Amino acid sequence: MRILLVGPNHPGGSIPPYLDVLQAGLAAAGAHVERVGSDGPPYDPERGGFRPTSEIVAAARALLSQVDLGAFDVVSLHFGNLEVEQLLPVLWSGARRPPVVYHVHSLAWTLFDRHCPDPRLRAAVAQAAASMDGYVFFGGHAARTLSRPPYVPAATCFLPTTIPPCTPASPRPRGDLPRLASLYGYPAPWKDAARLVDALARLRHPVRFHLAGPFWDDPAQVGAVLPVGVSRHGVAELTVTPAYLDAPARASLVARTSVAVFPYRPAATFQGSGAIADYLAHGVPVVAADVANMAELVADAGVIVPPGDPAALAAALDRFLGDAGHRQRLADAAAARAGLFRRDTHTAACLDLYERVLTRRKVVA
């Protein structure tokens, strides 16, 4: 099978590491895979803002001109809120092309809504997203939420871990040190830092919490002031590292973590967490807010709490920290679910869907 992988292709972000994993998995399964994508969101640091709509459209056209769509059996399409790739289905509408399978990374697209308002383009992107030839959903929440024809083939499977096998990692510490809880990624609008700090201040059991990722030192994006480095919040120690973590750094953090914490809030664009797969794939239990697909991802490998409730979050963490039997049960359940988040599991589901989409195209034709 000849597959064109279309999606952002640059260091950082959440989608590019996933595409690295998917590309490697598809190739290992025998597919011929080529990749094309943007080198970053259409943001101009010198202007201090997003590029004009005309430049964004031109960038999308330039991206499309790099490939011969007719040379492939399937297009695997990926974009989130900001990528210019969201314009490609608009630009190739009506053209001769192979079937397109859309991997749903976001449920709404803010580029032409919030950043570069253009109602016409925003409507065109939404219409194109609702008329693909197949869909990969990273959980049932997106499958239920995104508008699409009911007869179009789809697969519902979880995001795989983006930490490659055998990535070197620091060992978990032993002894009487407080347990480590962690969360990494960008301070997206659905990450509730203020509630996290509130919950940490309520804890009865000591814990070290590591929060890592670009821009956690920017109050405008975080919605709270978080000191860089180490700060105390009651019996909790919070370390903030405002830097992108590559695969070895993510592997080290996950290996040292006793419990992952996802204090999220509801958001229209949010379909589910990618970072959570790194923890669950390595048998790390999770405490998460009940938004989007979090409960489906975690199942019995953690605890789900109401969003926006720091007292409930603190209570869940305190029980984990203070109850050894409870902690072991969650760790065992996380280890049992780990296979759901591995590369080959995800790749097999995607290839099966691509085959079904191709078969349907032949039957319809």
Side-chain angles (χ1 to χ4, degrees), residues 10-25:
H10 56 82
S14 59
I15 300 179
Y18 163 66
L19 294 182
D20 293 342
V21 170
L22 181 61
Q23 182 176 13

Side-chain angles (χ1 to χ4, degrees), residues 80-155:
N81 294 329
L82 303 178
E83 285 79 17
V84 302
E85 282 85 350
Q86 64 187 266
L87 280 176
L88 298 189
V90 177
L91 297 178
W92 67 42
S93 177
R96 186 180 180 86
R97 58 163 179 78
V100 178
V101 174
Y102 175 36
H103 292 232
V104 183
H105 295 272
S106 180
L107 294 172
W109 309 276
T110 59
L111 181 58
F112 299 117
D113 182 8
R114 185 182 310 164
H115 310 288
C116 306
D118 188 317
R120 181 186 63 82
L121 282 179
R122 175 64 180 81
V125 169
Q127 181 179 2
S131 58
M132 301 291 182
D133 300 291
Y135 295 86
V136 173
F137 297 107
F138 305 125
H141 173 73
R144 293 187 297 270
T145 304
L146 186 74
S147 297
R148 71 188 196 285
Y151 51 82
V152 173

Side-chain angles (χ1 to χ4, degrees), residues 212-228:
F215 309 120
W216 283 109
D217 56 344
D218 182 356
Q221 298 193 56
V222 176
V225 178
L226 300 178
V228 175

Side-chain angles (χ1 to χ4, degrees), residues 1-3 22-34 347 351 354:
M1 185 185 298
R2 298 163 301 168
I3 302 170
L22 181 61
Q23 182 176 13
L26 293 172
H32 172 80
V33 185
E34 294 185 26
T347 300
L351 278 172
Y354 298 166

